[in-house]
Amino acid sequence: MRFGTLHGRFVLVRDGHALDLHTASGGTLPWEPIAALERWDDVTAFAAAADWTPAVPVADTDLDAPVPMPRQVFAIALNYRPHAAEAGFVPPSAPLVFTKFPTCIAGPSAEVRLPEGRVDWEIEVVAVIGRGGYRIDGADAWAAVAGVTCGQDLSERAMQLSGTPPQFSLGKSHPGFGPTGPVAVTPDELPDRDDIAFASWLDGQPLQHGRTSDMIFPIPDLVARLSAVCPLLPGDLIFTGTPAGVGNRMQPPRFLQPGETLVSRVDGVGEIHQRFVH
Ligand code: ZN
């Protein structure tokens, strides 16, 4: 099952068509995205038998973020060994966690205004929490996840890396710095939920590529470790980390410029496109 939001309303998406959950369920299920995710079992039961007659044509560029205003956004630093190495760190022994404040979350094709500084890319697979919970066992963790989507953890490096010790969250939270989408896909619909391939391009040039099977802390482990401290709520997002190939570690370093377009793809999910402006 593929789901997202259209004009702020929860929709199921199939073959270029969107089905409004609230309308198609005769008003029995919510239109608000987090309220819908709070009824996850009912939503999946409805989707299994839904009548698609009232669906409307939709393009990826019409869709908003799968969860436009999540309550909690977790992000994981250094979750791939080659990226930890390029950043000059040994792989962490526990997940290194920061937040992207929720106002940075944007849809799959938002224009992003570049703030002053040095803005870098980080393609990431993003887990969307459905059922959620507190102290979730790793063996049950996939059941807490409604879907996965494609995201960019856009990062302004001057702010991120200034100060001793540095702080991650603010420099990664400018408006538009958390584009996600175009839809979220339930784990059962992926060819292999533990081995998801993804890649990105800047103006057609390859930037980063990876597979989630290379994560130091895989998605179920992240769900277990995060929920050991914070109850995970429906609609929460987990940005699961980026592989090697960030601009900050290129020789010479390379940052996003106005007029450039960043394309990011998660196999089985789709693509997001960000155009950068002054
Ligand atoms: Zn990141």
Side-chain angles (χ1 to χ4, degrees):
M1 177 175 116
R2 307 166 77 80
F3 64 92
T5 65
L6 182 63
H7 310 309
R9 299 170 67 90
F10 188 101
V11 290
L12 306 177
V13 178
R14 189 176 83 183
D15 300 332
H17 286 74
L19 185 67
D20 186 278
L21 179 72
H22 182 70
T23 306
S25 67
T28 60
L29 290 170
W31 61 267
E32 199 279 321
I34 289 175
L37 289 164
E38 283 172 342
R39 300 274 303 276
W40 186 239
D41 291 341
D42 296 329
V43 170
T44 52
F46 168 78
D51 170 12
W52 280 74
T53 310
V56 296
V58 71
D60 284 356
T61 49
D62 298 331
L63 293 163
D64 305 319
V67 185
M69 188 55 75
R71 288 171 286 193
Q72 304 189 93
V73 181
F74 303 90
I76 310 301
L78 309 180
N79 202 17
Y80 292 85
R81 285 182 180 80
H83 175 58
E86 73 175 353
F89 295 98
V90 296
S93 55
L96 190 51
V97 183
F98 60 94
T99 190
K100 292 174 76 70
F101 294 103
T103 53
C104 81
I105 298 302
S109 38
E111 228 174 43
V112 181
R113 197 180 68 79
L114 291 168
E116 269 192 39
R118 305 191 298 268
V119 180
D120 202 350
W121 52 81
E122 292 191 1
I123 185 175
E124 310 202 359
V125 171
V126 177
V128 179
I129 298 299
R131 199 169 294 128
Y134 185 42
R135 296 177 172 169
I136 298 165
D137 190 275
D140 304 328
W142 270 117
V145 175
V148 298
T149 190
C150 179
Q152 274 282 345
D153 172 19
L154 296 175
S155 305
E156 197 283 288
R157 301 296 189 196
M159 177 178 275
Q160 181 196 340
L161 301 172
S162 66
T164 308
Q167 56 169 324
F168 277 22
S169 299
L170 264 189
K172 289 167 169 276
S173 294
H174 289 273
F177 271 30
T180 51
V183 292
V185 178
T186 51
D188 63 293
E189 193 163 313
L190 297 165
D192 182 348
R193 65 188 186 183
D194 295 303
D195 183 26
I196 305 166
F198 56 92
S200 62
W201 297 262
L202 184 64
D203 285 347
Q205 297 298 311
L207 283 183
Q208 291 183 276
H209 60 91
R211 310 189 71 92
T212 58
S213 52
D214 290 328
M215 286 177 170
I216 299 171
F217 305 103
I219 289 173
D221 200 12
L222 294 175
V223 166
R225 289 170 181 259
L226 293 170
S227 74
V229 179
C230 301
L232 297 182
L233 307 173
D236 286 356
L237 303 181
I238 305 173
F239 283 72
T240 59
T242 201
V246 297
N248 196 33
R249 298 298 166 184
M250 288 183 170
Q251 292 298 339
R254 171 89 170 78
F255 300 103
L256 293 164
Q257 304 297 325
E260 290 180 332
T261 298
L262 179 62
V263 176
S264 312
R265 183 178 76 208
V266 170
D267 285 4
V269 173
E271 288 184 357
I272 62 173
H273 300 74
Q274 277 62 54
R275 187 168 179 278
F276 297 91
V277 297
H278 268 299

